Amino acid sequence: MSLTREAVLHIDQETLNIQERFARLVASHPDRPKSYHIVTFGCQMNTHDSETLAGTLQHMGLTRCTQREEADLVLFNTCCIRDNAERKALGNITWLNEIKKKRPEMLIGICGCMMQQKGMAETVLKKYSFVDLAFGTGTLYRLPEYLFQLVDEKQRVIDVSREESTIAEGLPVLRDSDFKAYINIMYGCNNFCSYCIVPYVRGRERSRKADDILKEAQGLVKDGVREITLLGQNVNSFGNDTGEMSFPQLLQRLEETGIARLRFMTSHPKDLSDELIEVYANSQALAPHLHLPIQSGSNSMLLAMNRGYTAESYLDKVGRLRQALPDIGLTTDLIVAFPGETEADFEKTLELVDRVRFDSAFTFIYSKRTGTRAANFADMIESEVASHRINRLIQLQTGITKEVLANMKGEKTGILVEGVSARRKTQMSGKCGRNISVNFTGGDESLIGQIVPVEITGAGSNTLRGELEKEKD
Ligand code: SAH
Ligand code: SF4
Ligand code: F3S
């Protein structure tokens, strides 16, 4: 039995009922804000949290306002993964204060990962005195109570208490799309990669109950959702704390709901199991795409990053995945200029990227995060060297992406149609199983939300072109 099993606590019905009472009080309060606008930074976790925040606000009678300057309540759902994410959020918040000076009734709130950093609550209290509401990642379910305090008691609310081992089920969610949906399967992370702030701001790993996940998925399928993306910082650890079932078993159970397409984010290479590779080989619903962050091609960097695998073991897993599913598209994350990275280390990353031939890659310059182990590492890389390295890496990957995409010409593939192409209004646009955007001719808006057969006819630098396959008479 693991330690965390005991620690995870589902928010009980009584607590949720109290929140429901607060929600009703806000909904009938004469001074309540009438409209809201949420600004979201960061990853899919935050995007999905924002859907829950929106659902909760709608439930209290607020309506969405597309212009942030005009909203009565503006919530910033922040990210602190890198310094620039943090600066962007703070810049946006400070800018909005200028509007608030003209519209003093406007309420400004900050939530998300940035608020969970040590000392952040104090900073907000002192430096951002115009902020009315601040809360962290673990207490979204308390938004009705916070809003009630704000409107009824005219009190500033700052609550960044952790409550990291709790899971709240059944909160209202206002999903951004009718046919694509996110489902959280677990929260937090236990990996402590030496550069990463996530375990500090999102807490320890805790899995949702499989039944809760399956029920949510069944509801979505019933509502016509075609694609579900499962979310977790390391989905491969799903169930380690509850002992209920493994991640590959969960995927199989989800497939039984009849969902057309399944995706997940993110998978840690050290925990990618043979069982998962087998699901890739046999599943009808699992999209032929895997985001598998490698971070570096140098074993000494991987060790310093505390990643728990080597370049060789990563390549071995890639080989086995491709054997099981030759057309699988791989994408990755890469960090350059980690402390102590030599030119030789960096060249190993280039070599690895050249060997794997990812469909695409997110590339980042290492950013020091206070509180993480790497923040104390010596040998910071100079910023000119870092910029030069990232540019070389981007150049290499850009060429590979172009070639990979060009090689897909002639393929027939299913596209989940998302809308009219932004660039060519006569074409429709959607994503193939490998998660690459495809603009295609022969379709119209009636196809939005459906998976349709398309033949790939050409490739640009990041997107594919195609033609809708007409049904034969
Ligand atoms: N849980 C996911 C990723 C979370 S963060 C995973 O483990 O794969 C997304 C990406 O941001 C990471 O994969 C990493 O490449 C990058 N990243 C995280 N911390 C960073 C830092 N301090 N500096 C630069 N990039 C960072
Ligand atoms: Fe961060 Fe590593 Fe956890 Fe991903 S696995 S969230 S990179 S600590
Ligand atoms: Fe950022 Fe938090 Fe995601 S730090 S990357 S929003 S988990």
Side-chain angles (χ1 to χ4, degrees):
M1 198 186 288
S2 68
L3 277 174
T4 40
R5 188 191 294 202
E6 240 83 34
V8 175
L9 178 83
H10 280 71
I11 307 286
D12 60 25
Q13 200 49 47
E14 181 56 25
T15 312
L16 292 175
N17 290 346
I18 294 171
Q19 292 305 319
E20 182 56 33
R21 282 204 287 280
F22 278 121
R24 278 196 301 252
L25 286 172
V26 173
S28 58
H29 202 286
D31 299 339
R32 74 169 204 282
K34 306 289 182 296
S35 62
Y36 72 91
H37 182 97
I38 302 175
V39 186
T40 309
F41 300 96
C43 64
Q44 287 90 343
M45 288 279 168
N46 263 17
T47 304
H48 187 43
D49 280 351
S50 288
E51 291 182 327
T52 306
L53 293 166
T56 308
L57 292 168
Q58 299 263 149
H59 185 58
M60 288 186 275
L62 282 79
T63 51
R64 178 175 275 181
C65 174
T66 51
Q67 300 298 319
R68 80 176 76 163
E69 302 91 302
E70 291 164 15
D72 293 342
L73 167 68
V74 182
L75 259 186
F76 290 92
N77 193 4
T78 60
C79 169
C80 55
I81 196 82
R82 285 168 291 275
D83 183 50
N84 52 4
E86 212 168 283
R87 269 187 288 142
K88 206 160 130 193
L90 290 173
N92 270 265
I93 295 163
T94 309
W95 174 84
L96 199 66
N97 188 31
E98 296 307 307
I99 309 288
K100 189 179 160 105
K101 282 180 189 158
K102 290 178 221 139
R103 283 188 59 212
E105 74 282 7
M106 175 190 260
L107 298 172
I108 298 183
I110 318 182
C111 59
C113 294
M114 211 173 88
M115 282 319 303
Q116 217 71 79
Q117 287 185 103
K118 234 179 167 177
M120 200 59 193
E122 291 75 18
T123 308
V124 169
L125 276 170
K126 277 194 223 128
K127 274 180 66 184
Y128 297 86
S129 55
F130 57 92
V131 169
D132 305 282
L133 166 66
F135 57 100
T137 53
T139 55
L140 297 194
Y141 72 96
R142 282 199 183 172
L143 183 55
E145 184 182 344
Y146 298 148
L147 211 53
F148 179 74
Q149 282 180 27
L150 255 180
V151 298
D152 194 68
E153 297 163 21
K154 311 275 181 273
Q155 251 182 45
R156 209 174 167 211
V157 181
I158 312 280
D159 179 9
V160 294
S161 53
R162 269 287 178 86
E163 292 197 21
E164 64 178 31
S165 57
T166 54
I167 291 182
E169 292 293 348
L171 301 181
V173 179
L174 182 69
R175 297 191 182 268
D176 293 338
S177 161
D178 293 333
F179 51 86
K180 280 168 77 162
Y182 289 124
I183 295 187
N184 258 317
I185 61 165
M186 58 189 300
Y187 302 90
C189 182
N190 288 356
N191 284 317
F192 288 94
C193 302
S194 61
Y195 50 81
C196 185
I197 194 80
V198 172
Y200 303 91
V201 294
R202 287 267 173 182
R204 291 300 75 69
E205 266 171 23
R206 55 226 184 263
S207 307
R208 281 178 76 194
K209 288 185 193 146
D211 265 354
D212 290 330
I213 298 169
L214 290 165
K215 252 188 254 153
E216 188 174 347
Q218 281 154 0
L220 291 169
V221 172
K222 216 168 112 228
D223 289 346
V225 167
R226 310 289 291 151
E227 178 182 294
I228 290 177
T229 302
L230 307 174
L231 297 181
Q233 293 299 346
N234 179 18
V235 291
N236 293 322
S237 301
F238 171 80
N240 284 357
D241 54 336
T242 58
E244 264 198 306
M245 65 174 76
S246 67
F247 177 59
Q249 284 165 342
L250 178 72
L251 285 174
Q252 282 162 329
R253 295 288 303 278
L254 283 162
E255 183 152 359
E256 289 163 15
T257 63
I259 185 70
R261 212 182 240 182
L262 260 179
R263 302 185 182 281
F264 57 83
M265 289 277 278
T266 300
S267 175
H268 195 303
K270 79 172 163 48
D271 301 318
L272 179 89
S273 63
D274 288 342
E275 207 187 345
L276 181 61
I277 296 179
E278 217 167 287
V279 180
Y280 266 110
N282 300 315
S283 169
Q284 296 302 310
L286 190 56
H289 169 230
L290 176 62
H291 185 66
L292 197 61
I294 172 85
Q295 314 299 358
S296 169
S298 151
N299 286 341
S300 56
M301 287 299 102
L302 289 171
L303 187 67
M305 289 175 172
N306 192 30
R307 288 291 286 178
Y309 56 84
T310 59
E312 292 73 25
S313 65
Y314 183 93
L315 285 168
D316 175 60
K317 287 189 179 177
V318 165
R320 280 188 287 137
L321 269 163
R322 284 186 166 150
Q323 210 167 17
L325 189 65
D327 284 338
I328 192 167
L330 298 174
T331 55
T332 202
D333 293 344
L334 293 153
I335 299 178
V336 304
F338 187 75
E341 184 188 71
T342 61
E343 177 61 22
D345 288 320
F346 173 66
E347 278 169 14
K348 290 209 170 98
T349 298
L350 294 179
E351 271 167 41
L352 185 130
V353 165
D354 203 31
R355 258 184 87 176
V356 179
R357 307 190 70 72
F358 296 105
D359 284 2
S360 62
F362 293 104
T363 51
F364 308 107
I365 291 178
Y366 168 72
S367 168
K368 188 176 184 166
R369 305 283 69 205
T370 308
T372 61
R373 266 182 45 215
N376 304 318
F377 290 179
D379 300 327
M380 279 291 283
I381 308 299
E382 278 174 41
S383 68
E384 296 90 89
V385 176
S387 305
H388 187 56
R389 284 185 188 163
I390 201 166
N391 288 337
R392 283 159 70 195
L393 184 59
I394 291 170
Q395 200 184 3
L396 173 66
Q397 183 56 49
T398 308
I400 294 171
T401 298
K402 238 178 155 168
E403 283 172 25
V404 170
L405 266 54
N407 280 338
M408 289 174 76
K409 202 172 152 186
E411 275 184 25
K412 292 177 178 169
T413 179
I415 306 293
L416 175 56
V417 186
E418 294 183 349
V420 176
S421 157
R423 286 180 63 192
R424 288 193 187 79
K425 301 283 176 221
T426 53
Q427 297 187 5
M428 299 305 293
S429 169
K431 292 262 173 68
C432 69
R434 283 168 71 153
N435 212 23
I436 302 167
S437 289
V438 182
N439 296 313
F440 64 95
T441 56
D444 58 40
E445 285 180 51
S446 69
L447 301 180
I448 293 175
Q450 290 184 45
I451 297 179
V452 297
V454 166
E455 180 172 343
I456 304 302
T457 53
S461 43
N462 291 308
T463 56
L464 294 165
R465 287 187 299 277
E467 214 173 85
L468 182 70
E469 283 194 76
K470 294 277 186 246
E471 273 180 44
K472 306 240 167 28
D473 299 320

